[in-house]
Structures are given as C-alpha cells and as structure tokens.
Amino acid sequence: MVRSKEYSPFKRGLSNKDGSIEVTGVLRVVLIYATFSALYILLSDQAVHWLLTDPEQITLVSITKGWAFVAITSILLYGLIRRLLQQGLEAVQEREEGYRDLAEQSLAIIYQASIDAESKTIYISPRVTELGYSPQEWIDTPDLWLTLIHPEDIERVLNTLKQSHDDKTVFTAEYRLKTKYGQWRHFYDEARVVHDAHGNGLYLQGMMLDITDRKQAEQELRIAATAFESQDAMVVTDENRIILKINQAFTKVTGYSTQETVGKMPSMLKSGLQDAEFYQLMWDSLDRDHYWQGEIWNRRKSGEVYPERLSITAVIDDAGKITNYVAAFSDITQHKKAEETIHNLAFYDALTGLPNRKLLLDHLRKALLSNARKKYQGAMLFIDIDDFKSLNDTRGHDIGDLLLIEIAKRIQSCIHADDTLARFGSDEFAVLLDALNDEIEQAALQASSIAERIHNAIKQPFDLQGLTYYCKACIGISLFNDQETSFDELLKRADAALSQAKETGRDKIHFFDNTMQAALEARVNLESWLRTAIPEQLRLFYQVQVDKNGHAFGAEALIRWQHPEKGMISPAEFIPLAEETGLILPIGRWVMETACRQIKIWEAEASTRHLILAINVSAKQFHQLDFVDQVLDVLSQTGADPTRLKLELTESLLVDDVETIISKMAALKKKGVRFSLDDFGTGFSSLSYLKRLPLDQLKIDQSFVRDINTDPNDAAIVRTVIALGQSLGLDVIAEGVETEAQKDFLAIHGCVQYQGYLFSKPVALADFEKLLQLH
C-alpha cells in the first residue's frame, strides 16, 4: 500500500462525516463526569458536617476537599477522554483499512490528489499497474496523467476539468490513455472535491474505470446495427422461432411492419409451394449444422408470391443450446427473371415458346437414362406440316407464323403434361413421350393413340385472321426403352419413320419398326370397329354375388363386345382404347341404361326384385360435370329402383378433387344409389378420405384372394381390409373366389359376401336367370 509521507487521505481523526466528535462518546463522558461530581459534592459535604463542628475546621476541610475534587476529576476526565480518543482512533483505523481494501478490490483505479495548483497525486490504487506503472512511480512522476492522455482528447478533458472546478460540480470525462506498453485504452474518469465540516476543500478523490471492452462492444454493436439495416432483409427469432426483431429491408420486401411481425412466427410468410418435407429437411440441417442456405418461395403481405435467397444461422450459447435464429434473405425476382430470359433464349423457340432442339435433346438424354432404369418404354414423334412453304409464299410469313403457333397449341392439348413438345425446325415439331407402358405392344398402342389425336387435331380447320385453312401432317414414330440406343440413333429412326410416312402418301402416320406399324394399323382398325359397335354389338354379362349361405343377393354387370366377324373381343383389348379415345363415355351410358332397364324388369318378379345390380363406372365418366344428372335421368327414364343400383368406383378415381367426388356421391346416395369401392388395397386410398366417403361396400381385389391360403402377406391384407370394413360399418365382398378353401378362410375372418368362379363365371342374361334358381 502506497501512502503519502505528508498526508494520509484516509485518516480523518475523530470526526464523522459531519466533522463533529462522536455524539455517543461525548454523552458518555458528560454523564460520568456529572454523576461523579454530584455524588462527591453531596457525600463529602455531608461527611464534613457529620465529623466537624468548628467552623474554621469546616472551612479548611472544604478548601482541601475542593482542591481534591479538582485533582480527582481532572484525572478522571483525562482517563475518560483518553479512552474515548483511543476508541476513535481504532475506529478510524478500521475504517481506513476498509477504504483501502475497497480501493484495492475495485475494478476502477482509485486516486486522490491535492487541490493546490500542482494537483499532485497523493494516493492511487494498485489497479494502476494495468497501465504498466507502479503506484509509487505514478505518485513520484509529476503530471504523468496529463502526458498519457491522447492528444485528440487533452483539450476537451482540461476544459471539462476547469469547468467542473469553476462550477463546483463533479468532473466526468471519457478519454484515451496510453499505457506504458504503447497501447491506447479508453477510460471513464469521475472525481469530486472532498470538503471538511466547514466546507474547506481537503483533496480531490476520483476513479478511472477502463471501458475499452465496452467501447469495443459499442463499436461492434454499431457495426452490427449498420449490418442489420443492410440491403438484405433480416429477422431475429428466439429459440422457439418467435420473431423478436426485423429491419427496414424486411418491411420493404414483405410489406409487413414491425408491429405486424414481432411476436409472430416466420411461417406467416409461407407461400404453400414447399411441402412439409422441405421444411423438415431445412430444420434438420439447422439442428445439425446450425446453418442453412437455399432458395425458397415466400408470400408478401399483398399475397404476391416471390422467390428469395435465404440463409439462417442458429445462435449457440456456452452450453451448446440454441438461443436464437438469425435469418437474412433477399428478393431474387429480378434475378430469376433474368435467368429465365437467358434460359428461354437458349432453350426455347422465340415464336411458339416451345422447347427448341437443344432442350429436346437434353430431355431425351434424361428419358433414355430414366426409362432404362425403370424399364419403361418411350417414344419420339416427328411431325411435318404439309405444304407449309406454299402458305408462306402465298400468304406471307405472318400467316405462316400464326399457323405454327396454332398447331403448337393443338399438339400440346393432345399430350400429357409430362411429355415434351418441341419445335424442331421451320415446319417440324417433335414430341417426346416418356414413361409409356413397360410392354412394347402396349407402349406402341399408347404412342399411336397420341399420334392419332395429334393427326386428327391438325386436320381441323384453322382460322388465320379470317382465312379458313385446312392443314395436313405426316407423323413418324420411333420407340425406345434402353440406354444403349443413342439419341442420335433414335432421332435417325424417328426421321426415317417420318420419311416412310411421306413416301406412302401425305397425311400418314408410320412406325419405324414394321411390327409396330402392324400394331398401329390394328389399333386404328380396332378403334374404327369400336365406333360402329356402340351399342349394337355390346352385351352385358352377369356374375352372381352370394352370401355366406350361398344365396344370390345380386350380380355385377360386365361388358362384352360381340364382333360380327372377330367374335367375342375381350374387355382387356377394347376398354383401354375406349378410355384413351373417350368412347368410354357413350359405352358407360349404355351400360347404365341397360342395367337400369334390367333392374326394372327384375322388379316384376318376386324371385328377382331383391337383386342388387353393380356396374363399373370409369373415372372419366364419373368426373363429368353432369354425371349426377345423367344417373338420375336414367333412373327416371327406366323407372328403376335406385336402391337396387350399385356403382363400383376404383381407387384411382379418388386421386383428384376428392371433395367434388364426395359431393357427387352424397347427392346420389341421398336418392338411394349404393356405392362400392372396387379393387380396394391396390391403389393409394387415404383413410382420412375413406371414412368420409358415403360407401356401402368394400371389394377385396382378386389379386389378394388368389393366394390367400399360401401367401401370408395376402392373408394379412385380406384380414386387415375385412376388419377395416367392419369398423367403418361397411359390407365387405371378395371377388375372384375360386375354391372352397378361399371361401372358408374369408368366412372365418368375417367376410360373408363372395363373387367368383366357385359360384359362376360371368354369363349371358338367360343363363344368369337359370343360375338364380340354384341359389
């Protein structure tokens, strides 16, 4: 501890903070003195009068007693005052030591200086060693403090010091001091003059606190604040993803103000274009790596959806726990538009907006790889417009361009969304059909069907600015199904097929492969026959449905085609064609009318009026806007009992627009029409939708029934379907029952309705009615 040789700033005698003697000590001395004096006077005077009678003796003794009183009280007073002073000095020493301990333990540098002109330091705490100086070195070096202040700060500090002296106020200032090691440190200095009880200044007492770290933190905060209000939108959340703070760029990009945002979650910006899996992967990455970056679509307050580049960083505390998330994002709409423009110039035809040759070849490479892996067939169609040059020469290029645009629209309407239509040349188009059937014959039928649609669409008249123009085209088709076929070879094959189509006459379709060409011609013939077959050559066959006792309670009506020359044609051949060409609609109408007329006929006989007749309804037929009206119209015209009609729907029908499907079913159900879900378990039915569908029956597909006694998986599926039907209050019927063992298994597990060869094959009406007599 460094002490001034001349003055100890901590030794203040017996004075307390008011500059007076300790009140308790003074009172104690007075009380003792008064008590002793009173007792002495009273007792001594009484004793003198008791012992003496002579007045002269009494006077002499009183004088002697007086001097004794003075001597004794002087001694007593001396002892009391000395003791009091000793106690005061001990208290002062304790207080001084406390002050010294406090000064030494303080984070600040405590100092005291004289208030004369020299302002010499008389005390400074050991904390000054952080500047590289010992306390004694600081005290012994005059004006050391002034020489260490930064030149840019010295004038301001001295002016502040003078002003505080003149105004008799506390001196406060922030400035930089240079350490003995040449470093500049920031200090906060606060000092005041200490006065005695009479208001006389004793010394200057103050403290210097090193605020370098605080200054650096403030600088970092200013930098962070400047960065936070950067061009990028920023948002800070807590660990629960509740928004705590946003910047102005956030409001500019999203349209949301601070009041509308703080306390909410960033999910308020979701566009709905990313699924739950996307967000799950994003948060998994943040939990694992504490960082995520990518592109995302969000929605502004106005409802506009926009693309943004987003980065999210998780803030981690010392314990490794996430405390906050900081996200920065920027609107990349213009960037996307620029990319799109560049991409369109490189890969799209400027006139029609279709992919160009370069993009088509890129899609073809991918299709070759994908189809080879998935074992799918694919096809390339080359389409050449006949006499296009003549139109250009006679009507001008504007009319020619308009024709190409209209042709592109028609071709696009004939293909699926996943297929690729490209403009391959001046008057040539190419269509890439991906993921066709894995069987080459079926794939050829699919390709030829699409080619026919395109061919017929182009034949329809065009209105070209008032000019009615009829157009024809040749189409060449080449199939592919493996990676070994190069795309150059595939293009050559399609081009060769197109050349063959032109050679055999304009307005033709031709396969590169002769076998496929034969299949194409067969398909064209089959379609032609089917169009003339409706309804004269169509027949309904009936397959009985029985209960657990073998009693017939209904039948399924199944369509057959009796061709006058080819004989009976299987539904497996013509139903897919009818679906592709749209002929399934008139066929479905005929089936419904025929079935309802038969229901009405059966109502007249007691032995048949209880029968329920099931018919299959295709997805295309059910999705017609007026399907409900069609069914009700047929029931009205035939007079059939709606409760005797059962419509069988497949799971594939439930893929799109389930709410509309439920609405249509409910409308018919209200009239008494029954519903059965056919081939249950082979599709992708959602149980959440299943419980809402107004069904009467679930139908177990025959593919599960076939091996029910040998395949544990099939057996488990069948048991599950039966239990599900029972829990939903639905009847369960199994189709494809061919053996007693299959029937017994089903009966044991609760399925009591059956259909299959064990009871009867589908038969003509006359044979079915004979069969009823046995059931």
Side-chain angles (χ1 to χ4, degrees):
M1 178 68 64
V2 177
R3 294 180 172 84
S4 170
K5 299 177 182 178
E6 301 176 356
Y7 178 70
S8 177
F10 294 107
K11 186 176 294 184
R12 300 172 62 184
L14 300 180
S15 298
N16 61 7
K17 63 181 180 180
D18 298 323
S20 61
I21 299 175
E22 294 284 353
V23 175
T24 55
V26 172
L27 290 177
R28 187 166 57 248
V29 171
V30 171
L31 182 60
I32 294 173
Y33 179 78
T35 301
F36 175 80
S37 299
L39 291 175
Y40 179 82
I41 293 171
L42 290 174
L43 294 177
S44 63
D45 286 345
Q46 188 68 35
V48 168
H49 286 87
W50 281 348
L51 297 175
L52 299 174
T53 57
D54 185 3
E56 291 183 2
Q57 290 180 340
I58 293 174
T59 301
L60 180 61
V61 172
S62 296
I63 294 172
T64 304
K65 178 172 66 71
W67 283 109
F69 173 76
V70 171
I72 293 171
T73 54
S74 297
I75 294 170
L76 179 61
L77 184 61
Y78 170 78
L80 291 173
I81 292 175
R82 180 176 180 180
R83 183 177 178 184
L84 181 61
L85 289 174
Q86 184 65 35
Q87 290 175 346
L89 288 175
E90 290 176 356
V92 168
Q93 289 174 353
E94 290 178 1
R95 188 179 303 152
E96 180 181 354
E97 292 301 321
Y99 288 153
R100 292 187 184 280
D101 290 342
L102 181 62
E104 292 178 2
Q105 294 172 10
S106 173
L107 294 177
I109 299 174
I110 307 299
Y111 66 89
Q112 293 178 338
S114 63
I115 57 174
D116 53 20
E118 295 182 358
S119 296
K120 182 179 179 182
T121 301
I122 54 180
Y123 170 81
I124 193 163
S125 65
R127 183 70 64 176
V128 75
T129 55
E130 293 181 355
L131 292 173
Y133 299 94
S134 68
Q136 193 63 51
E137 187 177 4
W138 187 279
I139 291 172
D140 293 341
T141 306
D143 298 329
L144 177 60
W145 172 67
L146 291 176
T147 62
L148 298 181
I149 298 178
H150 197 283
E152 295 177 1
D153 301 337
I154 184 66
E155 183 178 356
R156 173 175 53 83
V157 172
L158 290 178
N159 288 337
T160 304
L161 183 61
K162 181 178 184 302
Q163 187 68 36
S164 64
H165 181 271
D166 293 344
D167 298 341
K168 297 182 179 180
T169 57
V170 176
F171 164 74
T172 58
E174 289 185 8
Y175 53 85
R176 288 162 287 179
L177 279 181
K178 189 176 184 180
T179 70
K180 199 172 185 178
Y181 313 112
Q183 299 173 330
W184 289 103
R185 306 287 293 178
H186 289 265
F187 280 86
Y188 169 77
D189 195 342
E190 180 177 322
R192 68 184 181 87
V193 175
V194 178
H195 299 82
D196 61 15
H198 305 289
N200 300 316
L202 297 177
Y203 53 87
L204 184 71
Q205 181 171 290
M207 68 169 189
M208 295 189 298
L209 180 64
D210 190 334
I211 58 171
T212 305
D213 292 342
R214 192 194 78 186
K215 284 290 186 180
Q216 290 176 347
E218 289 175 353
Q219 179 67 9
E220 291 174 0
L221 285 175
R222 283 192 291 270
I223 294 172
T226 302
F228 191 75
E229 293 298 342
S230 66
Q231 294 299 316
D232 284 349
M234 298 191 72
V235 57
V236 180
T237 77
D238 63 13
E239 71 276 15
N240 297 315
R241 307 172 196 170
I242 303 298
I243 295 175
L244 303 176
K245 185 177 178 62
I246 63 170
N247 65 357
Q248 289 299 315
F250 180 98
T251 299
K252 183 177 180 181
V253 172
T254 68
Y256 288 101
S257 66
T258 300
Q259 293 78 8
E260 295 170 313
T261 308
V262 172
K264 306 281 179 51
M265 298 185 73
S267 57
M268 65 185 289
L269 303 175
K270 275 187 179 181
S271 65
L273 298 182
Q274 279 88 19
D275 57 17
E277 182 181 3
F278 172 87
Y279 289 102
Q280 185 61 50
L281 291 173
M282 182 182 77
W283 289 111
D284 287 347
S285 176
L286 277 166
D287 290 340
R288 182 181 63 254
D289 306 324
H290 300 152
Y291 183 77
W292 182 88
Q293 184 178 34
E295 292 185 4
I296 190 173
W297 289 87
N298 269 340
R299 188 181 303 274
R300 306 186 207 274
K301 182 180 178 180
S302 63
E304 177 191 358
V305 174
Y306 68 97
E308 67 180 36
R309 182 173 291 108
L310 170 66
S311 63
I312 307 175
T313 302
V315 181
I316 311 300
D317 64 12
D318 294 338
K321 180 184 176 183
I322 295 176
T323 60
N324 299 90
Y325 294 98
V326 178
F329 61 89
S330 56
D331 185 344
I332 58 172
T333 302
Q334 296 303 321
H335 177 72
K336 284 291 184 182
K337 288 181 178 178
E339 283 185 347
E340 184 178 356
T341 300
I342 295 171
H343 185 267
N344 287 343
L345 291 173
F347 294 102
Y348 289 87
D349 174 53
L351 176 64
T352 62
L354 296 176
N356 59 18
R357 182 187 184 96
K358 184 176 181 181
L359 184 56
L360 177 69
L361 296 181
D362 181 66
H363 285 192
L364 179 56
R365 289 187 184 94
K366 294 177 181 177
L368 287 170
L369 291 171
S370 175
N371 287 16
R373 184 174 64 255
K374 298 178 180 178
K375 308 301 182 185
Y376 289 141
Q377 298 286 335
M380 177 66 77
L381 278 61
F382 272 10
I383 306 165
D384 183 77
I385 309 303
D386 291 343
D387 294 327
F388 178 73
K389 186 176 184 299
S390 298
L391 178 67
N392 260 345
D393 292 342
T394 58
R395 296 289 181 173
H397 289 283
D398 290 345
I399 296 297
D401 289 348
L402 183 58
L403 175 64
L404 292 174
I405 293 172
E406 293 303 316
I407 289 176
K409 292 178 181 177
R410 292 192 183 182
I411 297 175
Q412 192 74 61
S413 68
C414 296
I415 62 178
H416 298 107
D418 294 336
D419 298 329
T420 302
L421 168 62
R423 186 182 176 198
F424 214 60
S426 174
D427 60 348
E428 290 185 352
F429 295 87
V431 176
L432 174 61
L433 303 178
D434 194 11
L436 298 176
N437 196 285
D438 55 355
E439 296 292 337
I440 190 168
E441 292 81 5
Q442 291 298 320
L445 289 175
Q446 290 175 313
S448 63
S449 174
I450 295 173
E452 280 290 337
R453 288 206 297 269
I454 295 172
H455 199 244
N456 292 332
I458 294 176
K459 283 183 179 180
Q460 303 305 311
F462 291 89
D463 181 6
L464 306 176
Q465 295 183 354
L467 171 66
T468 301
Y469 184 77
Y470 290 86
C471 184
K472 295 180 180 180
C474 291
I475 302 177
I477 307 174
S478 178
L479 295 178
F480 63 90
N481 70 336
D482 57 62
Q483 189 178 348
E484 295 179 359
T485 302
S486 68
F487 63 91
D488 288 331
E489 179 63 26
L490 180 57
L491 295 178
K492 289 178 182 178
R493 291 179 183 180
D495 191 54
L498 180 61
S499 298
Q500 291 172 350
K502 291 179 179 179
E503 290 171 2
T504 56
R506 293 184 180 276
D507 197 30
K508 296 291 182 181
I509 299 174
H510 203 282
F511 269 95
F512 172 77
D513 186 272
N514 290 331
T515 303
M516 295 300 101
Q517 183 63 26
L520 171 62
E521 293 172 358
R523 183 193 178 284
V524 172
N525 291 334
L526 185 65
E527 181 181 348
S528 177
W529 295 342
L530 183 58
R531 290 184 183 276
T532 60
I534 306 171
E536 288 80 6
Q537 299 173 19
L538 300 181
R539 305 285 185 271
L540 277 189
F541 276 38
Y542 301 84
Q543 188 172 30
V544 68
Q545 295 178 338
V546 302
D547 59 20
K548 61 181 179 180
N549 298 317
H551 298 150
F553 66 87
E556 180 179 4
L558 300 165
I559 192 170
R560 296 292 185 265
W561 179 6
Q562 183 67 50
H563 192 275
E565 298 176 4
K566 299 296 182 180
M568 193 70 71
I569 299 178
S570 169
E573 292 185 47
F574 70 87
I575 291 298
L577 178 61
E579 290 277 3
E580 293 177 11
T581 59
L583 292 174
I584 194 66
L585 298 179
I587 291 175
R589 176 77 180 211
W590 175 83
V591 170
M592 187 174 299
E593 290 174 348
T594 304
C596 287
R597 281 195 295 269
Q598 189 58 53
I599 290 173
K600 184 62 177 177
I601 294 172
W602 283 344
E603 289 177 10
E605 298 292 334
S607 61
T608 56
R609 66 168 58 106
H610 70 285
L611 293 176
I612 299 172
L613 187 56
I615 62 172
N616 291 286
V617 177
S618 75
K620 186 171 292 187
Q621 183 182 4
F622 190 90
H623 285 305
Q624 293 179 98
L625 294 177
D626 62 343
F627 175 75
V628 173
D629 293 335
Q630 288 184 36
V631 176
L632 297 179
D633 183 56
V634 171
L635 288 169
S636 177
Q637 290 180 9
T638 60
D641 182 358
T643 63
R644 302 293 98 191
L645 176 64
K646 181 165 61 181
L647 304 182
E648 291 196 356
L649 311 177
T650 60
E651 284 188 297
S652 60
L653 185 145
L654 305 176
V655 173
D656 298 317
D657 200 1
V658 175
E659 297 301 327
T660 301
I661 292 170
I662 294 174
S663 176
K664 289 181 178 181
M665 291 176 67
L668 292 174
K669 181 77 171 178
K670 188 176 181 180
K671 298 295 183 180
V673 178
R674 301 168 185 257
F675 287 94
S676 176
L677 189 57
D678 195 8
D679 301 336
F680 183 74
T682 62
F684 303 95
S685 287
S686 167
L687 295 181
S688 64
Y689 289 139
L690 184 61
K691 68 180 182 181
R692 297 175 55 201
L693 295 173
L695 293 169
D696 297 279
Q697 184 184 74
L698 294 181
K699 197 169 198 178
I700 303 174
D701 188 66
Q702 60 182 339
S703 62
F704 300 129
V705 176
R706 184 182 302 114
D707 299 321
I708 198 173
N709 297 111
T710 58
D711 189 331
N713 293 327
D714 285 344
I717 291 173
V718 169
R719 288 195 299 268
T720 301
V721 173
I722 294 171
L724 179 61
Q726 291 174 342
S727 67
L728 295 175
L730 303 177
D731 294 332
V732 179
I733 185 172
E735 67 177 358
V737 180
E738 299 180 355
T739 66
E740 287 289 345
Q742 291 170 342
K743 178 193 171 189
D744 292 342
F745 180 93
L746 292 164
I748 290 172
H749 292 92
C751 180
V752 295
Q753 295 180 352
Y754 320 103
Q755 177 183 341
Y757 283 10
L758 178 62
F759 312 101
S760 172
K761 294 181 178 181
V763 293
L765 178 62
D767 293 331
F768 176 73
E769 290 178 339
K770 291 178 182 178
L771 180 66
L772 289 177
Q773 299 174 8
L774 303 176
H775 295 279

